[in-house]
Amino acid sequence: MDTIRKIPASMLAGMTATTPSDDPLSRGRRCLLAGSRGGLARLPAVLAGAIERALECQRDDRPFPAGTAGEVLSAAEDLLGPVEVPTEGIGTDAALERLARVLAEYGLDLSHPRAAAHLQPPPLLVAVAADALASISNASLDTYDSGPSAIAVERWLIGALARMAKLGPKADGVLTPGGSISNLMGLLLARDRAARRRGVDIRRDGVGALPGPLVLCSECAHFSVQRACAALGLGEGAVRTVPTDGGRRMCARALGGLLRDLAPRHTLVAVVATAGTTDFGTMDPIPEIAPLAAEYGVWLHIDAAYGFGALFSERLADRLAGLERADSITVDLHKLGWQPAAASILLVSDHAAFAPLDREVAYLNPTDDQAAGYDGLLGRSLQTTRRPDAVKVVATLLAYGRRGLGDMVDACHGLACRAQERIEAEPNLELVSPAELTTVVFRYRCTHRHRGDLAQIEDDINGELRRRLLERGMALIGRTAVRGQGPDSPERVCLKLTLLNPTASPHEIDHLLDAALEAGRECEEERRLSAMDRVITEDPAGDRREHDVIAIGCGPFNLGLAALASTITGLDLVVLEARPELRWHPGLMFDDARLQLSFLADLVTLVDPTHPLSFLAYLRDVDRMYPFYIREQFHPTRVEYEDYLRWAASRLPAVRFSHRVEAVHWDEARERFVVETTRGDGARLALAAKHLVIGIGTESYVPEALAGLPADRLVRAGDYLDRRSEVERASHVTVVGAGQSGAEIMVDLLTQNLAGGPAVSWLTRTRSFAPLDYTKLVLEMTTPAYVRYFHRLPQPVKDRLVAEQWQHYKGISTETLEQIHDLLYRRRLKLESSPVDLRCGVTIESARQDGSGRPVLHCRHRDTGAVFPHSTDLVIAATGYRHRRASFLGPIEGRLRRDEQGRYKVRLDHSLELADSISGRIFVAHADLHSHGAAAPDLGIAPYRNAVILNAIVGREVYRLPISTAFSTFDAPGSDTGAFVSAHPGESAVLAPACDSAPRHALRRTAGDPTRSGACRA
């Protein structure tokens, strides 16, 4: 009883909690042990002090300590002090404070949204708290008297998880230190069963008595399968890998062939299927694998360490179909369960499988104690002492339930789909493997051409950019090696995002990818400069290399800018377009599709009716004026409008096709933007300009729910006509989305259906197949008057209005709806047509493929909440468009001002807010829906916007802007939104010269009589 009096006073330091008159040793007795009443009372204060110290040391907005590995490790070790056990301790508080500082300053912050390297989640608060509670008792699971409550908790957990996996009444399980050990245990049980069937006693005779043991797993299985076979005496050579398909899933047909060939000559120990591969998150086809394992009597072990968490999600649970047919399952809730390590479980379908581990030890589980019910869990594990890891898992399950955890899984899956979407939109990133669970694999692709082996150069850059982010502490990104097509193709360095933070936002995922892009471009630029692979500074053809304005992208908006600029003397503007020719939505160029606007909404007419590049001038030039007039259809067809655009482009020498912009830099000395460009013939150009105009348009958007479908089963609306032959071969086609593009595709499909074509389904999230609201007073919201009013509003109000006004620019024309209804009516008269189904108010929550490869959409009816599957052969995503990212702005990304949602901050004159160090200006065309409202995508506002931009560049009103454009008044009485006045510091009003924005030479209009046309003022 006097032993505690021998404890040095230094050990008791920091543990006092009463008055100074108390005997320190008496106080130490009360507080020394965590499980005592005094210890429990003192523990919160001790932990609070350590946590407070950790908070003081926490890094600012970085998930990892900056520095090289050697620097970080040395600094952390220095904080700990000399590498020796001290003779005298420093006390509880001081020791914990020191460790808190080491862990906070030199550890990693998994809760940071840019920590996405490994299957290592940020632990939940409830799990950490429960783990601390479990540690207080120091219970063990091997014997009843080492921790009855811990045994009860683990038994509850095993029962609950076995029920989730639908393993049946005989199921059992055990917690292990990790997924690798669970795989080892599963294969141990499989080995021993295979040996018993061969009449071999493994304990007595060893594995050498087992003839030709083999374990089959996919090429993408976890390396722990080989390691386990080595540890079990089978040898790594006992592992036979099964080829995978294009989706990196085990090929069931190849497995069947191997089983057939190997069964007569070998002992087939186990087939290991993977439900969630570490690198890709892919799921082996368990419904196809399980029958083959059963046919040959082989133990089926499913490594669901990663994928088991998908069972919490209603959207993803069906990806684990067939799990109940396993003999053993590895679960690791240290991954998709947000548990501190360790939290792995081995589940078995029959508790008798644990028989090989059973052992009687006199001091642990004597027979009479077992018979009396005083038994622990010794016979289920290779370990004797086992800590109560089930406590934190059970606390989490009770706290959040299946639905709460499912929401977290869905959130992380959504982030992975967002990352995939962003990667696919980035020219400098290549998607290697899509988001199956929460992992996305990708690769940085070079912007420039480099001498040497480009693939090897990109390997080096991918490895370096990851290390660079790591050393700066800016981001944690995983790395792997992926073999290309074919078994002999070399492995390539790839990057990996493992997204396990359910509190992260899509905006933060964008920031993570931005950091990777910026680091990649830095690495590439350094390599390029070090190799002296510099771009040439003049065009060999003799063209100018310095201009007033460079417009990037040649769609209708920038083409209209070039048209209006062509009549301003002294303004040197060029338009650079990567494509070899002008194409305007070629995948939707139906012969009879018409614009939803009048011919007056051409490139120039609404600000200069006498311009030589108007639509009427085009009609006159091609000798079609009278036929057009007599036709009395003043909405041109889309084919005719594209022909007009081509005609205008052919008359504008400033438009340069086959000029792909690679990068934009700001030259501080020259005060010019330098635009690095690759021409179609391979020449590298560096062009300079004071101002830029970005008009790179939009691209088809595929929502995350459909993103996982393979390319041969998913058609983007913008590619419809290019892939029409695939549509015609399908038996059932489903259109998702009810905008104008989807409606025009439906017209085409219904026409085919009448002629004996495929069955057709049309699903839309909107609660009706809604028309565009093109009533006259509503159209006034596409006028300059409304744009000026809208821009002044607070951003939250603008965001709300854009969401509410979707029918102003996203609906379906009344004419197209009438055409669809007429086709449906005609179908009623032709009873032998294939089925047609129109269903609105339907949300697509996820998509997968069935056993035959057909897409199956997981749908939810928005009004009733009913959930139902929808099977089809081909999905057409008519789900809208999103702005292309201007990746070439990467070198100056840090100087572009963005709002909280990552969008450009756009001034009223359509210029971006830039850092003060840039004196030039960047204007945007159609990247301003959030700042300028529903008019932004409208062709009718484009001439006005271009006139505003040109006036701002020139510094005076070369184009007179209309003042009275709407009968409606949008603002409250007394507010003045009629004048075009700057609302931002640094923005020039278009009616007054802009500081340093006009060329030094004179500018004047040359085409037409300005006085007569009213196109500009003297």
Side-chain angles (χ1 to χ4, degrees), residues 436-447:
E436 182 82 10
L437 288 174
T438 67
T439 300
V440 183
V441 181
F442 65 103
R443 180 172 161 86
Y444 178 85
R445 300 303 303 270
C446 286
T447 298

Side-chain angles (χ1 to χ4, degrees), residues 585-597:
H585 300 300
L588 292 169
M589 197 60 70
F590 298 103
D591 291 339
D592 55 350
R594 291 194 290 137
L595 289 186
Q596 296 162 337
L597 297 170

Side-chain angles (χ1 to χ4, degrees), residues 393-691:
V393 182
V394 171
T396 301
L397 297 180
L398 293 175
Y400 290 98
R402 194 164 180 170
R403 181 170 297 173
L405 288 168
D407 289 343
M408 295 182 204
V409 173
D410 289 344
C412 294
H413 177 66
L415 293 174
C417 291
R418 167 60 185 162
Q420 174 184 332
E421 173 191 321
R422 171 71 192 282
I423 289 164
E424 289 180 308
E426 284 289 351
N428 286 117
L429 298 179
E430 175 189 6
L431 182 69
V432 176
S433 182
E436 182 82 10
L437 288 174
T438 67
T439 300
V440 183
V441 181
F442 65 103
R443 180 172 161 86
Y444 178 85
R445 300 303 303 270
C446 286
T447 298
H448 306 286
R449 296 181 181 178
H450 297 263
R451 297 190 181 101
D453 182 349
L454 181 59
Q456 183 58 53
I457 290 170
E458 289 178 340
D459 280 351
D460 295 342
I461 290 174
N462 277 278
E464 173 60 26
L465 81 84
R466 176 180 173 272
R467 288 189 295 274
R468 185 165 298 194
L469 292 173
L470 193 66
E471 290 177 4
R472 293 174 178 173
M474 293 300 297
L476 290 171
I477 292 178
R479 169 179 171 164
T480 188
V482 179
R483 194 178 304 281
Q485 298 299 320
D488 298 326
S489 60
E491 288 187 333
R492 290 299 174 199
V493 176
C494 294
L495 304 174
K496 179 172 65 169
L497 298 183
T498 306
L499 299 166
L500 294 175
N501 186 342
T503 67
S505 68
H507 180 50
E508 288 167 327
I509 299 307
D510 282 341
H511 279 326
L512 175 58
L513 288 167
D514 287 339
L517 279 166
E518 183 178 355
R521 288 167 182 149
E522 284 180 9
C523 295
E524 182 182 1
E525 184 70 5
E526 290 171 9
R527 173 178 286 270
R528 189 174 68 91
L529 293 176
S530 66
M532 300 300 291
D533 182 19
R534 302 181 183 278
V535 297
I536 62 173
T537 56
E538 291 195 40
D539 189 331
D543 290 348
R544 288 175 56 86
R545 62 185 178 89
E546 188 160 322
H547 308 274
D548 297 319
V549 186
I550 293 177
I552 301 173
C554 187
F557 294 152
N558 270 355
L559 186 62
L561 180 77
L564 291 177
S566 69
T567 60
I568 302 177
T569 298
L571 180 64
D572 182 1
L573 177 148
V574 294
V575 180
L576 305 180
E577 169 57 52
R579 295 171 300 179
E581 60 180 349
L582 194 150
R583 301 291 306 278
W584 194 60
H585 300 300
L588 292 169
M589 197 60 70
F590 298 103
D591 291 339
D592 55 350
R594 291 194 290 137
L595 289 186
Q596 296 162 337
L597 297 170
S598 161
F599 71 91
L600 292 175
D602 61 13
L603 300 175
V604 293
T605 295
L606 289 173
V607 295
D608 186 358
T610 65
H611 198 284
L613 294 179
S614 69
F615 185 80
L616 289 177
Y618 155 76
L619 289 176
R620 181 182 61 186
D621 192 60
V622 298
D623 197 21
R624 206 161 56 241
M625 182 73 79
Y626 268 91
F628 184 83
Y629 160 66
I630 293 171
R631 189 182 185 214
E632 291 190 341
Q633 290 284 347
F634 292 150
H635 290 193
T637 65
R638 203 171 288 157
V639 172
E640 187 172 33
Y641 184 74
E642 184 189 52
D643 190 61
Y644 160 62
L645 297 178
R646 288 169 172 267
W647 171 85
S650 70
R651 283 154 177 75
L652 290 169
V655 176
R656 301 182 184 178
F657 292 104
S658 297
H659 280 66
R660 181 164 60 92
V661 174
E662 310 284 4
V664 172
H665 304 267
W666 174 251
D667 188 325
E668 304 279 359
R670 296 163 63 193
E671 292 192 327
R672 291 292 184 272
F673 291 103
V674 177
V675 181
E676 295 184 4
T677 306
T678 301
R679 205 168 57 188
D681 59 3
R684 307 283 295 282
L685 313 177
L687 309 178
K690 180 67 175 178
H691 308 291

Side-chain angles (χ1 to χ4, degrees), residues 89-415:
I90 59 176
T92 301
D93 290 345
L96 287 175
E97 286 184 9
R98 184 179 297 182
L99 266 296
R101 183 179 174 192
V102 171
L103 295 175
E105 290 189 15
Y106 299 105
L108 76 165
D109 178 7
L110 290 172
S111 66
H112 196 288
R114 291 200 298 274
H118 303 290
L119 281 168
Q120 183 182 12
L124 294 170
L125 178 63
V126 66
V128 172
D131 208 24
L133 285 176
S135 296
I136 290 171
S137 70
N138 201 27
S140 179
L141 280 296
D142 51 326
T143 67
Y144 173 79
D145 56 0
S146 291
S149 61
I151 292 173
V153 172
E154 180 159 323
R155 288 171 58 174
W156 185 95
L157 175 62
I158 295 299
L161 295 182
R163 180 171 293 185
M164 275 186 68
K166 302 177 181 177
L167 285 181
K170 294 182 178 181
D172 205 341
V174 64
L175 271 79
T176 77
S180 294
I181 300 300
S182 291
N183 282 342
L184 172 67
M185 293 268 297
L187 291 177
L188 183 153
L189 303 181
R191 180 201 65 181
D192 286 10
R193 190 186 76 166
R196 288 195 304 273
R197 290 185 171 184
R198 287 276 190 175
V200 174
D201 186 334
I202 288 289
R203 286 191 183 184
R204 183 190 64 207
D205 304 325
V207 294
L210 198 61
L214 289 180
V215 172
L216 286 80
C217 64
S218 87
E219 296 171 329
C220 296
H222 195 262
F223 69 87
S224 61
V225 175
Q226 280 86 351
R227 179 180 282 181
C229 286
L232 293 172
L234 304 176
E236 292 195 11
V239 179
R240 292 289 179 91
T241 56
V242 182
T244 54
D245 60 18
R248 297 183 171 86
R249 294 177 287 266
M250 182 190 290
C251 178
R253 181 177 298 177
L255 172 65
L258 282 171
L259 290 171
R260 183 176 58 253
D261 294 343
L262 298 172
R265 298 175 287 110
H266 293 271
T267 301
L268 299 179
V269 172
V271 170
V272 179
T274 307
T277 55
T278 303
D279 274 343
F280 311 110
T282 49
M283 304 278 198
D284 286 343
I286 300 171
E288 300 172 41
I289 293 170
L292 292 170
E295 179 183 347
Y296 288 90
V298 184
W299 183 283
L300 176 59
H301 176 73
I302 298 178
D303 179 3
Y306 180 13
F308 189 87
L311 283 180
F312 295 120
S313 163
E314 289 185 11
R315 287 168 46 188
L316 302 178
D318 59 358
R319 301 188 183 194
L320 287 162
L323 189 67
E324 71 280 357
R325 303 185 67 175
D327 293 292
S328 57
I329 303 170
T330 288
V331 181
D332 195 352
L333 296 178
H334 170 57
K335 296 173 173 55
L336 271 183
W338 297 278
Q339 299 298 299
S344 184
I345 304 100
L346 176 72
L347 297 175
V348 296
S349 60
D350 189 342
H351 59 81
F354 283 123
L357 297 174
D358 191 24
R359 185 173 293 273
E360 183 179 326
V361 181
Y363 71 91
L364 293 176
N365 60 345
T367 304
D368 54 338
D369 275 2
Q370 293 184 54
Y374 295 95
D375 194 13
L377 302 179
L378 179 68
R380 289 171 174 78
S381 177
L382 291 172
Q383 299 170 264
T384 301
T385 300
R386 281 198 299 120
R387 71 186 306 272
D389 286 318
V391 172
K392 61 197 173 198
V393 182
V394 171
T396 301
L397 297 180
L398 293 175
Y400 290 98
R402 194 164 180 170
R403 181 170 297 173
L405 288 168
D407 289 343
M408 295 182 204
V409 173
D410 289 344
C412 294
H413 177 66
L415 293 174

Side-chain angles (χ1 to χ4, degrees), residues 834-849:
S834 298
V836 170
D837 174 37
L838 278 67
R839 202 175 297 274
C840 52
V842 173
T843 298
I844 312 296
E845 296 189 334
S846 64
R848 62 177 177 85
Q849 290 177 273

